[in-house]
């Protein structure tokens, strides 16, 4: 495990385990759960604005069910990787973007949902050289700018400095295009 920003803490209460995750340091933890079921991993550090939303499911299944699930995921990924939308979806899943952005229209309280975002009129609370109250349309150019420079336009009701500002240098143009294609597909 590795954090890109602040101290987090990997915690699954039912497993009786908690491990700090530090920026710039790789931390490992081995877990061998023995009870099949659904659990929740949480962040146990007060790490920032979205702390209370940092949860994810932990599913403990039988080996046969897991093997079947892996086969279905590999097949689905092979099909999806052939399209920009599929590649964008894979990149987003691999990098945890849905920890802050929902894809089903629900609110995370951290960042705008991506479902139905394209062509939506957004009122801004500010941004780089943008006056509060400015209204913009969430089009392809807006999405690209929001990925590359997340402080450029801050949507009303959300805070600046939540989204990492590194994607402009760590993502290729084709990766950004694939991500935008995926977001545009969420109607």
């Amino acid at each position: 495990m590795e954090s890109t920003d602040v101290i987090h803490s990997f915690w699954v209460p039912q497993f009786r385990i908690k491990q700090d995750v530090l920026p710039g340091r790789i931390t490992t933890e081995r877990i061998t759960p023995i009870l099949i079921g659904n659990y929740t991993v949480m962040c146990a550090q007060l790490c920032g604005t979205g702390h209370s939303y940092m949860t994810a499911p932990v599913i403990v299944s039988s080996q046969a069910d897991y093997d079947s699930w892996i086969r279905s995921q590999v097949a689905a990924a092979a099909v999806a990787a052939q399209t920009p939308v599929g590649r964008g979806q894979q990149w987003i899943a691999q990098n945890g973007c849905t920890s802050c952005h929902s894809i089903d229209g629900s609110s995370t309280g951290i960042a705008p949902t991506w479902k139905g975002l394209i062509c939506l009129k957004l009122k801004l609370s500010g941004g780089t050289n943008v006056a509060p109250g400015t209204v913009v349309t969430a089009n392809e150019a807006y999405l690209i700018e929001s990925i590359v420079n997340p402080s450029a336009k801050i949507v009303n009701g959300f805070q600046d400095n939540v989204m990492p500002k590194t994607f402009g240098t760590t993502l290729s143009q084709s990766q950004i295009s694939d991500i935008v294609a995926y977001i545009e597909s969420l109607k």
Side-chain angles (χ1 to χ4, degrees), residues 8-14 38-45 47-59 93 95-102 106-110:
H8 295 284
S9 191
F10 179 90
W11 180 41
V12 182
Q14 296 87 346
N38 296 320
Y39 307 94
T40 302
V41 62
M42 302 178 224
C43 181
Q45 288 287 344
C47 58
T49 306
H51 166 72
S52 61
Y53 296 100
M54 295 187 81
T55 63
V58 176
I59 301 168
N95 289 280
C97 300
T98 54
S99 295
C100 297
H101 296 277
S102 79
S106 63
S107 174
T108 64
I110 303 169

Side-chain angles (χ1 to χ4, degrees), residues 47-100:
C47 58
T49 306
H51 166 72
S52 61
Y53 296 100
M54 295 187 81
T55 63
V58 176
I59 301 168
V60 179
S61 63
S62 68
Q63 186 66 48
D65 287 346
Y66 177 74
D67 292 342
S68 175
W69 179 79
I70 286 291
R71 283 191 297 276
S72 71
Q73 295 300 303
V74 168
V79 171
Q82 297 173 17
T83 68
V85 170
R87 289 189 301 270
Q89 182 179 18
Q90 285 180 334
W91 193 93
I92 285 165
Q94 291 169 353
N95 289 280
C97 300
T98 54
S99 295
C100 297

Side-chain angles (χ1 to χ4, degrees), residues 3-183:
S3 171
T4 59
D5 48 11
V6 298
I7 298 173
H8 295 284
S9 191
F10 179 90
W11 180 41
V12 182
Q14 296 87 346
F15 293 176
R16 309 294 192 268
I17 186 169
K18 183 174 74 155
Q19 177 63 55
D20 287 341
V21 183
L22 308 170
R25 183 176 187 188
I26 296 173
T27 307
T28 60
E29 187 67 46
R30 295 184 189 272
I31 305 167
T32 307
I34 56 173
L35 295 175
I36 292 175
N38 296 320
Y39 307 94
T40 302
V41 62
M42 302 178 224
C43 181
Q45 288 287 344
L46 185 54
C47 58
T49 306
H51 166 72
S52 61
Y53 296 100
M54 295 187 81
T55 63
V58 176
I59 301 168
V60 179
S61 63
S62 68
Q63 186 66 48
D65 287 346
Y66 177 74
D67 292 342
S68 175
W69 179 79
I70 286 291
R71 283 191 297 276
S72 71
Q73 295 300 303
V74 168
V79 171
Q82 297 173 17
T83 68
V85 170
R87 289 189 301 270
Q89 182 179 18
Q90 285 180 334
W91 193 93
I92 285 165
Q94 291 169 353
N95 289 280
C97 300
T98 54
S99 295
C100 297
H101 296 277
S102 79
I103 59 172
D104 63 1
S106 63
S107 174
T108 64
I110 303 169
T113 182
W114 285 335
K115 183 173 184 176
L117 178 63
I118 198 66
C119 297
L120 194 65
K121 301 285 186 198
L122 303 171
K123 188 173 183 178
L124 305 177
S125 60
T128 311
N129 299 319
V130 177
T134 301
V135 176
V136 297
T137 301
N139 55 23
E140 182 178 350
Y142 167 81
L143 294 175
I144 292 169
E145 181 181 40
S146 295
I147 293 168
V148 173
N149 182 8
S151 292
K153 294 181 174 83
I154 308 302
V155 176
N156 200 30
F158 299 99
Q159 295 182 352
D160 190 10
N161 296 320
V162 174
M163 183 164 158
K165 297 179 184 344
T166 58
F167 295 132
T169 56
T170 59
L171 295 176
S172 69
Q173 284 299 114
S174 63
Q175 287 173 316
I176 292 171
S177 295
D178 291 345
I179 292 165
V180 169
Y182 175 67
I183 294 170

